[in-house]
Amino acid sequence: MVFDLDGVLVQSEEVWDAARRDLVADSGRRWPPEATSAMMGMSSVEWSRYLSERLEVPAEPRQISERVVRAVADRYRRRLPWIRGAREAVARLAARWPLALATSSNREIIDLVLEAGDLRGKFAATVSSEEVEHGKPAPDVYLEAARRLGSAPERCVAVEDSSNGLLAGAAAGMHVIAIPNAA
């Protein structure tokens, strides 16, 4: 089983969105209505480039990513927005099957969430989309998670909440479970 993180284990889409919006506003730029959905599932390399090039935030993409990730991490340290029952589900499933995490979140965020939730030992593999060539909806992050698990993608199940994540899991050849998320 390969879990997404944002929107499946933690209710975090709003946290990422707020951190990026704050950065854009602090830069004196405007947040267009399509920006949130456009960045859904993008890797940090992709969304920081989007903020730099499309929204004209006056900083290099690497600097943009660092500032946003720092803001998200600070918010998580104050209060991690767990989805009810997610940690318990991971614990039950990890007792039966090998689990992986395939997420658009950065490595720093993955480590922070797993440590805070006492979930580090529950996942045999974790992959950030910043560690592969393309973010979701490309299948790269799911294919790498299957590889790290030592399992063929068609023997894996992707657990996702977003359209781009569902597309990525399916494109990887995995069975896909959609977890509804109002955000």
Side-chain angles (χ1 to χ4, degrees), residues 171-182:
M174 296 184 177
H175 302 275
V176 179
I177 296 174
I179 304 293
N181 187 318

Side-chain angles (χ1 to χ4, degrees), residues 17-183:
D17 194 52
R20 288 188 283 241
R21 282 174 185 264
D22 289 349
L23 177 66
V24 170
D26 291 348
S27 300
R29 301 298 190 249
R30 188 183 68 75
W31 186 268
E34 71 279 1
T36 298
S37 60
M39 287 185 277
M40 190 81 58
M42 283 184 179
S43 69
S44 61
V45 172
E46 293 165 325
W47 59 252
S48 60
R49 190 178 320 118
Y50 179 93
L51 291 177
S52 175
E53 295 171 5
R54 301 277 296 271
L55 303 189
E56 301 177 344
V57 172
E60 292 297 316
R62 182 186 53 75
Q63 295 167 318
I64 291 169
S65 179
E66 289 171 358
R67 289 167 60 187
V68 170
V69 169
R70 189 171 39 250
V72 169
D74 289 347
R75 291 172 192 201
Y76 280 5
R77 285 185 188 98
R78 288 192 301 272
R79 183 188 160 278
L80 238 163
W82 292 105
I83 291 178
R84 195 183 71 193
R87 288 182 288 179
E88 296 81 6
V90 166
R92 284 193 310 273
L93 292 166
R96 185 158 183 190
W97 291 291
L99 303 182
L101 192 67
T103 177
S104 297
S105 281
N106 302 63
R107 173 58 54 192
E108 176 184 346
I109 299 299
I110 294 170
D111 294 343
L112 189 155
V113 170
L114 295 183
E115 188 68 34
D118 196 27
L119 297 176
R120 187 170 299 287
K122 306 294 185 206
F123 289 94
T126 61
V127 184
S128 166
S129 63
E130 68 183 346
E131 300 166 353
V132 296
E133 189 171 349
H134 301 288
K136 300 171 186 177
D140 301 26
V141 71
Y142 278 107
L143 292 172
E144 180 61 17
R147 187 191 72 72
R148 291 183 189 184
L149 281 176
S151 184
E154 59 272 8
R155 294 187 39 84
C156 295
V157 174
V159 182
E160 265 290 352
D161 70 309
S162 72
S163 296
N164 282 340
L166 295 166
L167 291 168
M174 296 184 177
H175 302 275
V176 179
I177 296 174
I179 304 293
N181 187 318

